[in-house]
């Protein structure tokens, strides 16, 4: 852990006292294992500095180890001392057999078990008399229920010869009172306050005393920073100055949120920006004392995913992408590339799925050809072994032996070289597997899923930090810093809300019991006393202590901690030397990128969408039409908006495609007596023909039936509107036309062309999303699809344009929207004068404007104009999905993507 470099300051009174104590046969007991390691390391360093080459191992033990070794030295009567995972499992089993809690899922059940375990520890530590059932007889409601749990826990422990670590000090006390033999004196170090059970145990032990506090720091300051970043920057600058003055200085930074990922990230960012020492990289100058959850590490996350996948459970598409990208399931680079390629191929074939089991992944068409044979054989064999094994219950020990073997056989942790931190994570992983194996302490047999979820829980609850690299700056929480000393301390976040820290009462223990026993957070006074003790201890742990707080934190004003004001005086603004230097001048030089790569080919994929993209953002057009970039949307369990759009287009094409099955005109439409039955036939035929077998196999039959019903109703309603139109004839659907602009050819497919009652043509485009003719507005249209069709796809010699419309076929909004020369006469006679179709007729000027604009867009595209220039940021970018390619987020803040139905009409 990251505290081995902390030492008792060289030549300090503490170091001399400890040495003398140990040499006289005494034992040092520290409040935490962190403090024990720090004192031991310091002791060894001092002996080395004295020129010694060998000396006896010092008796320096943390509180838990001291109690355990003293207990084991005497007797444990054959009882098994439970580890934390075993005790939690026992509490979970008790809770699962109680009333309503029996219905809880495993996650919540273990949360309750953790609460019960903590309440039991609090009682054992602060108020052991309540371990006697008679003392709990007056407890009510939740506390009364918890009292029953304690009784059940006691019965389990008695019958199974088990012992909770929380009871160990009490048991030891009884042994000490019965054992009158001589015992070495104890010197206590780093205890902010002695808990009742600790005081009683030390009294029962015999001679003990606390290490005398060092004199308080000579230099104490309290700083007020304008905000959190400035506070962190000041702390980093102070550390830099300290290290510049004394390159061997040991510094301690105390923060309230050392474990929280977000705070950690912010600290890392600011420290990397401001920490400087000649000859050192900023990242080598500091380390965190507390680790992060073992399960969050990439290597362990990969192992957990493989254990699920290989056993037949499904992984989400993004999980599988992540697993393949981590290379943990590939034996070499070739396998890794093939797995990545397979994911892309599945996408291209439209075979994406929101979830993949191993079986469904390897049984895709062509998988045996596309995936490496070695990989298929390896994972296939492990899968078969696991599938066979996971059908029966086994002891956790057996599972713990089998899991690493399966993982290894499947190739984990992959072919890439491991770092030192990876090897340490692997060691912690093995320990976690062994601990999960110890859950068989009571002879239970469990299924694979239960074992795996116990292991995953353990991985998430286990903190992991790579071994210390002896960085000069240690970042720790206030309580964890107990027993550590340094050449200088900076205490961050000393504001009124943070210090003293407040917390909730324990929900399973009666309020009066918590108050009378002085349990944590039982009263504000108790929290204040503990914070005062910690602060006093910190003041005596270094010759210089700096406190700071940010006047503004997360958009709220804060005030200085009154406790710190009482000890260090009112805060003062940061001195100039601790103010972050002004940002260096802008290092980005703007220049106009005039280099363009003209289009060499005579055509480009994408139809009208190329020019729409050119108008929305030139880079988007370049990336999609010339680089082949694609937005990667998450697969869905049901039909995607695009698939629904395709089906709707296909049904309307089928309806208006003319005889023998379809119709061609409004008069034929009006001749159909049962339109719903008519539409239903077309929907059924299209669903049968258009939905691929593998997609059909993935979806429940009933779901597809409901989709058919939904589409039938929607289109039957739509035909009602078509029936009310002025007479028209459908000239064609899915009409293919080619248009050549600026030397390149676009292949277009028009949804439909109608001949109106005045012989002019209406260009119709079906839309299921929210669209408006406003998107055609010049000078920079959001969409040029219909203006392109209207202006270039018709034969001007033979065809007269009567209008261009979106046919909006969406539930609750069945309507036409667009521009017609005379909408009231040629489209719908019942339109009011205020209708947009009437008020905004199609004009010759509009057509000329669109033509000019589209021709310019085509020229720009052909010339290679590809600026990152969204038409309307951030909305345009939110619908684009190419941010990672164009890097616009590097310079602009863009909101989250919104989901919108897409049409499939290109
Ligand atoms: S994300 Fe925005 S800037 Fe980037 S290509 Fe798309 S529209 Fe252009």
């Amino acid at each position: 852990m990251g505290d081995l470099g902390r030492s008792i300051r060289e030549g300090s009174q503490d170091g001399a006292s400890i040495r003398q104590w140990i040499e006289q046969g005494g034992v040092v007991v520290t409040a935490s294992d962190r403090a024990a390691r720090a004192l031991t390391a310091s002791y060894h360093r001092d002996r080395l500095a004295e020129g010694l080459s060998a000396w006896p191992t010092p008796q320096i033990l943390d509180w838990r180890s001291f109690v355990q070794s003293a207990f084991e030295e005497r007797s444990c009567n054959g009882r098994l001392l439970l580890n934390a995972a075993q005790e939690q499992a026992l509490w979970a089993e008790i809770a699962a057999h109680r009333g309503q809690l029996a219905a809880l899922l495993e996650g919540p059940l273990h949360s309750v078990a953790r609460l019960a375990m903590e309440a039991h520890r609090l009682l054992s530590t602060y108020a052991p008399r309540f371990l006697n059932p008679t003392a709990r007889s007056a407890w009510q409601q939740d506390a009364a229920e918890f009292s029953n749990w304690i009784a059940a826990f006691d019965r389990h422990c008695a019958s199974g010869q088990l012992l909770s670590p929380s009871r160990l000090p009490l048991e030891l006390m009884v042994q000490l009172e019965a054992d009158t033999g001589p015992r070495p004196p104890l010197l206590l170090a780093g205890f902010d306050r002695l808990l009742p059970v600790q005081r009683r145990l030390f009294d029962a032990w015999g001679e003990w005393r606390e290490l005398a506090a060092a004199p308080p720091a000579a230099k104490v300051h309290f700083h007020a920073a304008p905000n959190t970043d400035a506070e962190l920057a000041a702390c980093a600058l102070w550390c830099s100055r300290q290290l510049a003055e004394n390159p061997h200085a040991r510094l301690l930074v105390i923060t309230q949120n050392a474990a929280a990922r977000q705070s950690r990230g912010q600290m890392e960012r600011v420290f990397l920006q401001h920490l400087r020492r000649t000859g050192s990289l900023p990242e080598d100058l500091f380390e965190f004392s507390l680790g992060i959850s073992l399960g969050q590490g990439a290597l362990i996350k990969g192992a957990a995913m493989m254990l699920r996948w290989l056993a037949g459970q499904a992984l989400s598409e993004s999980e599988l992408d992540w697993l393949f990208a981590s290379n943990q399931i590939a034996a070499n680079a070739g396998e890794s590339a093939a797995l990545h390629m397979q994911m892309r191929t599945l996408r291209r074939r439209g075979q994406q799925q929101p979830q993949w089991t191993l079986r469904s992944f390897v049984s895709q068409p062509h998988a045996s050809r596309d995936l490496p044979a070695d990989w298929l054989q390896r994972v296939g064999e492990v899968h078969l072994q696991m599938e066979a094994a996971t059908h029966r219950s086994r002891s956790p020990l057996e599972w713990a032996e089998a899991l690493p073997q399966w993982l290894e056989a499947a190739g984990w942790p992959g072919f890439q070289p491991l770092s030192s931190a990876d090897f340490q994570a692997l060691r912690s992983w093995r320990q976690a597997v062994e601990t999960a194996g110890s859950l068989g302490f009571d002879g239970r047999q469990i299924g694979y899923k239960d074992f795996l979820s116990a292991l995953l829980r353990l991985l998430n609850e286990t903190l992991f930090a790579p071994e210390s690299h002896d960085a000069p700056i240690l970042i720790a929480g206030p309580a964890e810093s107990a027993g550590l000393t340094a050449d200088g301390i900076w205490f961050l976040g000393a504001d009124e809300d943070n210090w003293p820290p407040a917390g909730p009462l324990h929900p399973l223990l009666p309020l009066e019991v918590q108050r009378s026993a002085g349990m944590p957070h039982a009263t504000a006074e108790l929290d204040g006393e503990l914070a005062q003790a910690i602060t006093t201890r910190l003041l005596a742990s270094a010759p210089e202590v700096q406190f700071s707080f940010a006047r503004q934190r997360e958009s709220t004003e804060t005030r200085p901690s009154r406790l710190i004001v009482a000890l260090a005086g009112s805060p003062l603004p940061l001195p100039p030397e601790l103010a972050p230097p002004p940002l260096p001048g802008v290092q980005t030089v703007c220049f106009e990128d005039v280099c363009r790569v003209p289009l060499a080919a005579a055509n480009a994929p994408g139809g009208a969408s190329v020019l729409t993209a050119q108008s929305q953002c030139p880079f988007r057009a370049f990336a999609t039409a010339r680089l082949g970039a694609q937005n990667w949307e998450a697969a869905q369990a049901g039909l995607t908006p695009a698939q629904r759009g395709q089906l709707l287009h296909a049904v309307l094409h089928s309806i208006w495609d003319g005889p023998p099955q379809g119709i061609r005109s409004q008069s034929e439409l009006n001749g159909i007596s049962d339109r719903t039955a008519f539409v239903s036939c077309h929907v059924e035929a299209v669903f049968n023909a258009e939905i691929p077998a593998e997609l059909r196999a993935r979806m429940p039959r009933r779901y597809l039936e409901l989709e058919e019903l939904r589409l039938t109703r929607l289109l039957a309603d739509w035909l009602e509107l078509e029936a009310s139109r002025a007479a028209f004839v459908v000239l064609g659907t899915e009409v293919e036309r080619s248009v050549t602009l600026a030397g390149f050819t676009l292949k277009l497919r028009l949804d439909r062309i109608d001949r109106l009652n005045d012989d002019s043509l209406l260009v119709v485009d079906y839309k299921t999303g929210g669209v408006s003719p406003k998107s055609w507005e010049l000078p920079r249209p959001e969409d040029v699809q219909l203006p392109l069709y209207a202006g270039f796809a018709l034969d001007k010699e033979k065809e007269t344009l009567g209008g261009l419309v979106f046919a909006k076929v969406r539930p609750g909004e069945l309507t036409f929207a667009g521009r017609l020369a005379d909408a009231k006469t040629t489209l719908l006679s019942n339109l009011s004068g205020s209708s947009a179709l009437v008020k905004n007729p199609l004009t010759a000027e509009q057509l000329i404007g669109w033509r000019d604009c589209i021709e310019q867009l085509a020229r720009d595209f052909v010339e290679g104009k590809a600026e990152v220039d969204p038409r309307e940021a951030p909305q345009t970018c939110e619908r684009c999905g190419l941010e990672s390619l164009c890097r616009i987020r590097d310079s602009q803040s863009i909101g989250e993507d919104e989901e919108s139905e897409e049409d499939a009409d290109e």
Side-chain angles (χ1 to χ4, degrees), residues 743-756:
F744 87 108
T745 302
L746 288 164
K747 293 202 182 316
L748 309 178
R749 199 167 60 199
L750 285 63
D751 282 351
R752 190 169 128 189
I753 301 176
D754 289 1
R755 185 177 296 287
L756 302 177

Side-chain angles (χ1 to χ4, degrees), residues 617 619-620 868 870 876-877 880 882-883 886 888:
C617 173
F619 182 79
R620 184 178 180 185
V868 174
T876 308
C877 300
C880 172
L882 295 180
E883 304 92 325
C886 70
I888 189 156

Side-chain angles (χ1 to χ4, degrees), residues 613 616-621 623 867-889 892 894:
Q616 289 178 345
C617 173
F619 182 79
R620 184 178 180 185
E867 285 86 347
V868 174
D869 178 21
R871 175 181 171 275
E872 191 183 4
Q875 291 88 336
T876 308
C877 300
E878 285 169 0
R879 291 187 289 268
C880 172
L882 295 180
E883 304 92 325
S884 54
L885 185 62
C886 70
R887 311 278 301 273
I888 189 156
R889 281 184 193 260
Q892 291 180 10
I894 300 169

